[in-house]
Amino acid sequence: IGAWGIHAPLMHALTDTPLVLIDPPEGVEGQPGVSVLRCDGDLPLALGVARGVAIDEESGSRVDSAVRVTRTAGRVVGPASLPLPAGVRELARDDRLWVGAREAPASPLVVLHVRRG
């Protein structure tokens, strides 16, 4: 999300995984395997579809949305200036960034009924 899009050509060269850039810097364009989306508000992706998400400082208001679209155990990267979001377990941190793993969302309460007779 945001400024991280500048690194898309290098990331794409390292992996065959398709990349989706949300609001990358001007001049960053899509190519085969790299899609560019421009949007406001929540990320326009299905819940749990992303293997990982990187959030820049300018996109901090989208951190909860980024966590929702990240699959369980997927990686979430954000600037050290942002607090670690709920649902993310910290794996590493330095003075610039933190890296976390998306925890499994809590399952809904299951109600059990006793059958008589």
Side-chain angles (χ1 to χ4, degrees), residues 1-113:
I1 303 171
W4 286 99
I6 200 82
H7 302 293
L10 294 172
M11 289 294 295
H12 190 59
L14 293 173
T15 181
D16 290 334
T17 301
L19 300 175
V20 177
L21 311 180
I22 308 287
D23 296 328
E26 292 299 322
V28 174
E29 296 183 10
Q31 59 185 21
V34 179
S35 299
V36 174
L37 299 175
R38 303 253 179 224
C39 64
D40 293 324
D42 288 346
L43 304 185
L45 301 172
L47 300 179
V49 72
R51 292 181 182 180
V53 177
I55 307 155
D56 72 359
E57 193 151 9
E58 312 304 310
S59 303
S61 64
R62 293 176 161 181
V63 70
D64 291 334
S65 179
V67 170
R68 281 192 300 275
V69 303
T70 304
R71 68 178 55 171
T72 299
R75 298 302 186 251
V76 181
V77 178
S81 61
L82 288 179
L84 195 69
V88 175
R89 180 175 44 87
E90 186 174 297
L91 300 175
R93 177 185 290 267
D94 64 15
D95 60 330
R96 294 180 35 227
L97 300 169
W98 49 256
V99 178
R102 170 73 154 100
E103 296 177 321
S107 63
L109 183 62
V110 175
V111 179
L112 301 176
H113 298 280

